[in-house]
């Protein structure tokens, strides 16, 4: 089937199979490999992207479901050479070790900050419920998000 | 993991969707897809046709209809958790919606999809039973209104017939002045599904519990109304003894008590009374 999807502001038209999953469309067809496949069972959150502005797990969304809609991936967060405040936060606060979970963490945190620009630590922890990090113990990820909240210029 | 092949159809209206599932009895409805797609990826389900109803505006609403709050089957858990009508008028639903899955799941998962799937450990069933909600369905048999209490009939099994679509969940508006409600879940730590969960809604009038409604998720092969707990508390002042006695009846109405590698039958029975006591205490605090 034919789909027309806007990804990071750019429009794409492709012929896909109905069973194609969005995460593989992004990674294999568009070569946007910043979105990761961790568990492939909608548990770990590494594949989180924004669908019409809301964080979703792209391993559990059909490419067909994104037809006519707008996707933002980690590649769409920086403004040219200027990092998004969340990306800057993860760098400044050492919010990653291996980095595998980081794109998903940033995308879910961006969804949180969109709804709640000044979250409490508890609210940040709640927002990360669907994202696993197996390295950091989460503390620096939370600091990274706090950094972004306090340094955000209307992103 | 990739699902086996299927045809994808996206009807523009509810009437078209009903026609599509009438014409093709093997077709499955796709809403948020957060139960169906994982099952298809694991090849536990291989429907030849998916009918995507997630964009039907007829199903996507939350509306105060006077005597009841109407929630379209396509409303997401996230929308329900934050909608002002829900948080102010039926807070039990808002509170429970916040505990479903995680942010990403709540952004796409729908109330209609969840109750059609009828996972015995899902959150909506007991909440809708305790809130005395009615499930409106449409399709092969015309419009039908089924009380939530009669909707859940077995393990992943509901009163929804073949060729029918859930269209709306109707939740009576309780009297805000006397309303007491709570939802307590003891979640499986990885999946966040309920090992045991209890929904409570009642009125506290002149210091006495009235119209007590209590229901459980995660205990039996389907969610059930706990009339034994309700009867133990109805008309009583909410003393510690009355609450403990009521909570001891938590499993009386269960068809069975599940036992799996996360919780044995005995442990689940124990958890049922614990979440019941916590829910009652929280509601009446």
């Amino acid at each position: 089937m034919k789909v027309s999807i806007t990804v990071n502001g750019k429009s794409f038209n492709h012929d896909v199979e109905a069973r194609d999953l969005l995460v593989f469309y992004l990674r294999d067809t568009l070569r946007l490999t910043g979105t990761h496949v961790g568990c492939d069972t909608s548990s770990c959150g590494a594949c989180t992207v924004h669908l019409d502005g809301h964080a979703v797990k792209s391993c559990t969304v059909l490419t067909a479901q994104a037809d006519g809609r707008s996707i933002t991936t980690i590649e769409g967060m920086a403004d040219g050479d200027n990092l998004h405040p969340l990306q800057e936060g993860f760098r400044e606060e050492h919010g990653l070790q291996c980095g595998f979970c980081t794109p998903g963490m940033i995308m879910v945190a961006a969804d949180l900050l969109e709804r709640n620009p000044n979250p409490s630590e508890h609210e940040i922890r709640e927002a990360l419920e669907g994202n696993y990090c197996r390295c950091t113990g989460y503390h620096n990820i939370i600091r990274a998000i706090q950094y972004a909240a306090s340094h955000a210029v209307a992103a | 993991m990739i699902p086996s092949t299927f045809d994808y159809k996206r009807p523009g209206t509810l009437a078209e969707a009903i026609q599509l599932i009438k014409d093709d009895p093997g077709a499955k409805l796709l809403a948020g897809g957060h139960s169906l797609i994982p099952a298809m990826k694991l090849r536990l389900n291989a429907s030849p046709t998916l009918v995507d109803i997630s964009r039907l505006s007829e199903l996507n609403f939350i509306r105060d209809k006077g005597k009841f709050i109407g929630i379209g089957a396509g409303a997401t858990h996230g929308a329900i958790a934050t909608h002002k009508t829900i948080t102010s008028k039926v807070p039990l639903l808002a509170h429970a919606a916040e505990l479903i899955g995680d942010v990403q799941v709540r952004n796409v998962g729908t109330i209609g999809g969840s109750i059609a799937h009828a996972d015995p450990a899902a959150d909506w069933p007991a909440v809708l039973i305790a809130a005395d909600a009615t499930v409106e369905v449409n399709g092969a048999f015309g419009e039908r209104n089924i009380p939530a209490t009669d909707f859940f009939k077995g393990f992943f099994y509901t009163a929804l017939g073949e060729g029918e679509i859930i269209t709306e969940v109707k939740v009576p508006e309780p009297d805000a002045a006397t309303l007491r409600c709570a939802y307590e879940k003891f979640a499986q730590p990885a999946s966040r599904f309920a090992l045991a969960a209890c929904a409570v809604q009642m009125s506290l009038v002149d210091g006495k519990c009235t119209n007590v409604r209590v229901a459980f998720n995660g205990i039996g092969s389907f969610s059930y109304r706990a009339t034994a707990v309700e009867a133990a508390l109805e008309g009583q002042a909410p003393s510690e003894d009355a609450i403990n006695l009521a909570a001891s009846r938590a499993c009386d109405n269960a068809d069975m008590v599940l036992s799996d590698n996360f919780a044995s039958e005995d442990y689940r029975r124990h958890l049922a009374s614990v979440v019941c006591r916590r829910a009652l205490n929280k509601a009446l605090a």
Side-chain angles (χ1 to χ4, degrees):
Chain A
M1 62 175 290
K2 293 204 179 337
V3 293
S4 169
I5 304 174
T6 302
V7 181
N8 300 331
K10 213 173 142 193
S11 177
F12 295 93
N13 294 287
H14 283 101
D15 207 356
V16 301
E17 267 195 85
R19 61 177 175 166
D20 277 359
L21 297 164
L22 180 59
V23 70
F24 295 118
Y25 173 74
L26 295 171
R27 287 179 57 85
D28 298 343
T29 305
L30 302 186
R31 303 303 296 163
L32 294 170
T33 54
T35 302
H36 293 162
V37 181
C39 67
D40 205 6
T41 59
S42 42
S43 304
C44 81
C47 66
T48 302
V49 301
H50 289 186
L51 174 61
D52 285 345
H54 297 290
V56 301
K57 292 179 174 177
S58 60
C59 77
T60 310
V61 175
L62 301 173
T63 308
Q65 289 174 289
D67 179 31
R69 301 170 77 177
S70 175
I71 304 288
T72 307
T73 69
I74 187 68
E75 289 90 346
M77 294 301 276
D79 178 13
D81 288 338
N82 297 320
L83 292 181
H84 185 279
L86 276 161
Q87 294 171 308
E88 210 175 276
F90 274 73
R91 187 179 64 186
E92 292 303 315
E93 297 294 336
H94 192 53
L96 59 111
Q97 286 179 29
C98 85
F100 192 86
C101 72
T102 312
M105 290 288 176
I106 288 179
M107 298 315 287
V108 81
D111 178 297
L112 168 70
L113 295 182
E114 184 67 35
R115 287 176 287 116
N116 179 0
N118 292 298
S120 66
E121 183 186 327
H122 178 73
E123 288 167 333
I124 295 173
R125 287 180 184 274
E126 292 276 303
L128 299 182
E129 189 169 17
N131 291 69
Y132 297 170
C133 170
R134 300 287 81 147
C135 307
T136 70
Y138 300 96
H139 294 295
N140 286 0
I141 293 175
I142 287 149
R143 287 189 194 117
I145 296 168
Q146 288 170 329
Y147 176 100
S150 58
H151 287 75
V153 280
Chain B
M1 297 178 294
I2 311 284
S4 54
T5 53
F6 55 84
D7 285 334
Y8 172 89
K9 292 182 176 155
R10 193 193 302 139
T13 65
L14 179 61
E16 276 176 54
I18 290 170
Q19 191 62 44
L20 282 169
I21 56 169
K22 190 179 165 202
D23 295 345
D24 181 356
K28 274 260 174 203
L29 296 169
L30 173 70
H34 273 46
S35 299
L36 181 57
I37 293 174
M40 293 182 78
K41 287 171 69 177
L42 292 166
R43 307 285 174 120
L44 297 170
N45 182 299
S47 303
T49 309
L50 292 194
V51 177
D52 185 350
I53 54 170
S54 63
R55 299 188 202 187
L56 295 181
S57 55
E58 293 151 279
L59 299 181
N60 193 4
F61 62 87
I62 298 173
R63 217 169 280 144
D64 191 340
K65 295 188 170 176
K67 280 190 180 147
F68 66 89
I69 314 294
I71 303 174
T76 63
H77 313 313
I80 296 168
T82 52
H83 197 280
K84 277 208 177 94
T85 300
I86 306 291
T87 54
S88 64
K89 303 210 159 151
V90 277
L92 175 64
L93 272 73
H95 175 55
E98 266 189 335
L99 299 178
I100 297 174
D102 51 50
V103 176
Q104 294 96 318
V105 169
R106 294 193 289 273
N107 279 343
V108 270
T110 66
I111 189 168
S114 173
I115 63 175
H117 188 56
D119 190 313
D123 293 295
W124 281 127
V127 171
L128 298 186
I129 293 169
D132 199 16
T134 299
V135 181
E136 183 194 273
V137 307
N138 208 331
F141 312 104
E143 188 184 303
R144 299 199 294 144
N145 284 280
I146 307 163
T149 314
D150 302 330
F151 188 78
F152 304 99
K153 297 180 91 71
F155 195 61
F156 294 97
Y157 172 47
T158 70
L160 189 66
E162 240 178 70
E164 288 190 305
I165 294 181
I166 299 169
T167 47
E168 183 173 347
V169 174
K170 300 171 176 174
V171 189
E173 192 179 317
D175 171 32
T178 58
L179 175 67
R180 295 288 185 276
C181 62
Y183 181 63
E184 270 295 304
K185 167 160 76 163
F186 191 92
Q188 205 277 349
S191 73
R192 314 313 291 171
F193 274 94
L195 285 180
C198 177
V200 171
Q201 185 164 301
M202 68 174 91
S203 292
L204 190 67
V205 179
D206 299 331
K208 302 258 169 71
C209 302
T210 58
N211 296 320
V212 182
R213 300 270 302 201
V214 179
F216 287 88
N217 294 320
I219 309 295
S221 70
F222 58 97
S223 299
Y224 60 93
R225 183 174 171 192
T227 51
V229 177
E230 295 173 4
L233 211 56
E234 187 69 36
Q236 303 289 314
S239 65
E240 194 182 336
D241 283 350
I243 287 172
N244 289 343
L245 179 68
S248 73
R249 315 289 303 272
C251 296
D252 286 14
N253 297 97
D255 67 315
M256 61 172 292
V257 177
L258 294 168
S259 178
D260 55 33
N261 51 347
F262 301 120
S264 66
E265 182 182 332
D266 282 350
Y267 181 47
R268 236 190 203 88
R269 278 183 194 282
H270 171 72
L271 286 178
S273 61
V274 169
V275 290
C276 184
R277 198 178 63 233
R278 285 181 184 169
L280 290 170
N281 280 322
K282 195 169 166 187
L284 291 160

